[in-house]
Amino acid sequence: MPHPVRRPARTAALAAATLLAVPVLAACDGGGAPAALKSPAPASAPAAPAPAPAAALPAALTGQKPGWAPCPAPSAAQGGGKAPGGAWECATMKAPLDYAKPDGETLDVALIRRKATDPDKRLGSLVYNFGGPGASGVRTLPHAAKDYEKLGAAYDLVSFDPRGVGATSPVLCLDDKALDEGPGPSGADPLAPVRTYTEACRKNSDKVLPHVSTADTARDMDLMRQVLGDPKLNYFGISYGTQLGGVYAHLFPKNVGRTVFDAVVDPTSDELQAGLGQAKGFQRALEHAMEFCRDKYAANCPTGGSDEEGDRRIAELLKKLETEPAATRSGRKLGSEQALTGIAAALYDKETWDYLVQSLAELRLRGTGNNLLAIADAYGGRGQDGRYDNTDAAHTAIGCADTNRRYTVEEMRAQEPAFRAASPVFGPSMAKGLLACTEWPVRGTADRPQVAAEGSAPILVVGNTGDPATPVEGAKRMADALGRGVGVNLTVKGEGHGVYGTNACATKAVDGFLLDGTAPADGTNCS
């Protein structure tokens, strides 16, 4: 788990992973794999300064007309696969590379849409961001659209690849071979793999790195609103998409239309607080999954008879994998970090806990890592052809553009005990993630996003009590930070990262808000 705070949406990729059945767990069907994945968490602090205002955009940009056409197959950077076909259309939108120079060089933002299926009820466009940062909206939306059919009757469903992502000037760092090999042991210098990764990003993407911040993408969204012909931006942000939506609302409060945040990033947390909160969130989700394992599989549960025993067994497996990676049928090896990534990925959705049980059983009973490697590959954006999308590279570049905090090795080591206390399984790796931006060649903007949005229309902010990646406390803090009369907080008592389409009460509330403009009362709870 090289990135401790934000993580991408992986709905389509994880659904395509194939797991190996383990006979001792007869109730596991051996097919499918995890669904959605995403971003950060906890604590309170003063807001970051507002980004500097951008110069007015020329009419050549605000008045452009996208050339909608049938979508091509996704590129390798987007994750590959087949063209979506059907009613899906793709286009590009020109945006300034540098918003301080709006008449200067441009980049092409990749767009996708499906027109409203009931034109008589059309309300405009509904723009999605599925998280990360780093998820390709162009590739993700067609896979996820079945969850939004009701909304798609009244809205043109629209998404995009944010700058630095997928087909929009993608940030490129290590090649496929280097990503397969992994960073290797850091030895006495934990910054060694960070330097290798950072230098590759600088070498391959130096031009775009200064221009991939969340504020830059928020400005792209307002340009997109104008290009799509919408007086207000109707928006559905998931995970990191909630941070992006919050920054948009801060920069353009008068342009906010019907907006929903699901699986909410806490805007009051800096990188350290978010990392510690997420470590606690994943540990909590792991304990819930281990309880599920004990209840369902009794003596056959691979994590044993208690949470403490489960933590110990997993730690022992991970420790062994550091020096003795597990064999897989592909010929590749499963190392400790890949195994940890696979475990975390399986915690994003209660429906995937069986896969986690099955995968740990395989590792304990057979000594092989086929299942965890399949899950880690899907989560890491590795296709069956061995090619990686650029999610991790974009994730790093956007995250480092957004934070001005650069941790030293000494500061990281000072925080290791706190991370280990937050999660004996995930904490140590997440502590090392504090170094991800230490050698980054571009200065970050602030230690926290600014989301105060006085004058904005109401924004529905939905949090889930069992969310491992964006702990529920962040939703209330986001609602408060947006401002009185703006943030409307809805809390769901459940498991998993994100609730739309999985919780009937929350889904009904979101549909009512987006379709009818009727928001639930602030502080409403769903079970």
Side-chain angles (χ1 to χ4, degrees):
M1 289 183 67
H3 304 294
V5 178
R6 304 176 182 89
R7 287 305 301 176
R10 289 292 188 198
T11 306
L14 288 169
T18 301
L19 300 186
L20 178 70
V22 179
V24 71
L25 300 177
C28 293
D29 63 13
L37 304 178
K38 296 111 186 176
S39 317
S44 180
L57 297 181
L61 293 179
T62 59
Q64 63 186 297
K65 303 297 182 184
W68 296 106
C71 296
S75 67
Q78 289 173 304
K82 297 179 180 179
W88 293 103
E89 301 174 300
C90 287
T92 58
M93 176 192 76
K94 291 194 177 299
L97 175 66
D98 183 348
Y99 271 92
K101 302 174 182 177
D103 291 308
E105 188 173 355
T106 61
L107 51 74
D108 291 332
V109 179
L111 308 176
I112 189 168
R113 78 172 180 184
R114 191 188 69 189
K115 290 183 178 179
T117 57
D118 189 345
D120 292 338
K121 295 181 180 179
R122 185 179 180 275
L123 297 172
S125 305
L126 180 60
V127 176
Y128 287 80
N129 181 279
F130 293 96
S136 165
V138 172
R139 185 174 188 269
T140 303
L141 181 57
H143 291 282
K146 63 182 182 297
D147 294 331
Y148 305 109
E149 290 301 324
K150 187 172 183 178
L151 298 174
Y155 286 102
D156 295 349
L157 300 184
V158 177
S159 194
F160 65 107
D161 288 356
R163 49 179 60 212
V165 176
T168 304
S169 298
V171 174
L172 301 174
C173 298
L174 298 177
D175 61 24
D176 296 331
K177 184 175 183 293
L179 289 170
D180 263 353
E181 292 172 350
S186 58
D189 183 7
L191 278 175
V194 176
R195 291 193 188 98
T196 299
Y197 192 89
T198 300
E199 176 57 24
C201 299
R202 187 201 61 75
K203 179 181 178 181
N204 294 319
S205 303
D206 193 44
K207 184 178 180 179
V208 73
L209 293 183
H211 306 294
V212 296
S213 73
T214 296
D216 286 322
T217 297
R219 291 186 171 108
D220 288 345
M221 290 205 305
D222 200 61
L223 176 58
M224 192 184 311
R225 173 190 63 80
Q226 297 171 74
V227 168
L228 292 171
D230 292 316
K232 304 279 187 179
L233 179 75
N234 303 308
Y235 178 74
F236 199 134
I238 302 161
S239 197
Y240 161 78
T242 68
Q243 178 177 322
L244 174 59
V247 171
Y248 178 87
H250 174 70
L251 293 174
F252 304 101
K254 299 298 185 182
N255 297 343
V256 172
R258 294 178 185 176
T259 295
V260 172
F261 297 165
D262 185 5
V264 184
V265 173
D266 182 354
T268 70
S269 295
D270 61 18
E271 292 293 302
L272 174 60
Q273 294 164 336
L276 286 169
Q278 196 173 49
K280 293 176 183 176
F282 273 102
Q283 184 65 31
R284 178 171 55 199
L286 177 61
E287 290 170 358
H288 293 173
M290 291 192 292
E291 181 181 6
F292 159 84
C293 181
R294 293 191 296 270
D295 290 345
K296 186 168 183 178
Y297 299 106
N300 285 332
C301 175
T303 53
S306 67
D307 290 346
E308 293 74 16
E309 184 178 5
D311 287 345
R312 178 180 57 77
R313 287 188 178 188
I314 292 173
E316 289 172 351
L317 288 172
L318 295 174
K319 184 69 174 177
K320 183 177 181 181
L321 291 173
E322 290 179 6
T323 55
E324 300 177 38
T328 70
R329 58 185 167 226
S330 69
R332 295 163 58 218
K333 300 285 189 179
L334 175 78
S336 179
E337 284 298 318
Q338 290 167 310
L340 193 61
T341 296
I343 293 168
L347 293 173
Y348 275 89
D349 190 329
K350 187 176 181 178
E351 297 302 312
T352 62
W353 288 355
D354 259 327
Y355 301 125
L356 174 60
V357 174
Q358 181 179 345
S359 301
L360 292 174
E362 182 206 353
L363 191 58
R364 278 184 58 83
L365 298 174
R366 297 180 175 178
T368 57
N370 293 294
N371 286 350
L372 283 177
L373 185 62
I375 297 172
D377 279 352
Y379 186 60
R382 186 185 192 275
Q384 293 184 351
D385 60 358
R387 303 188 70 182
Y388 286 82
D389 66 22
N390 90 309
T391 296
D392 274 356
H395 179 92
T396 300
I398 296 167
C400 293
D402 280 352
T403 178
N404 60 12
R405 189 68 166 89
R406 302 294 186 254
Y407 286 89
T408 66
V409 172
E410 292 72 24
E411 288 171 327
M412 180 275 291
R413 286 180 170 150
Q415 296 298 332
E416 284 182 322
F419 274 88
R420 191 171 288 107
S423 173
V425 173
F426 302 106
S429 177
M430 287 185 167
K432 293 175 185 176
L434 293 175
L435 300 177
C437 300
T438 298
E439 301 279 328
W440 200 249
V442 176
R443 289 185 62 185
T445 54
D447 64 347
R448 297 168 179 81
Q450 175 63 289
V451 300
E454 183 179 356
S456 167
I459 295 173
L460 181 57
V461 181
V462 187
N464 191 19
T465 58
D467 193 321
T470 51
V472 68
E473 296 83 2
K476 179 65 165 64
R477 291 172 185 148
M478 172 67 84
D480 289 344
L482 288 168
R484 180 181 291 274
V486 178
V488 178
N489 187 214
L490 171 67
T491 300
V492 176
K493 185 177 182 181
E495 302 291 343
H497 187 53
V499 299
Y500 186 85
T502 63
N503 180 275
C505 169
T507 301
K508 181 178 179 181
V510 169
D511 287 345
F513 180 61
L514 290 175
L515 296 173
D516 304 325
T518 304
D522 185 33
T524 296
N525 290 281
C526 285
S527 59

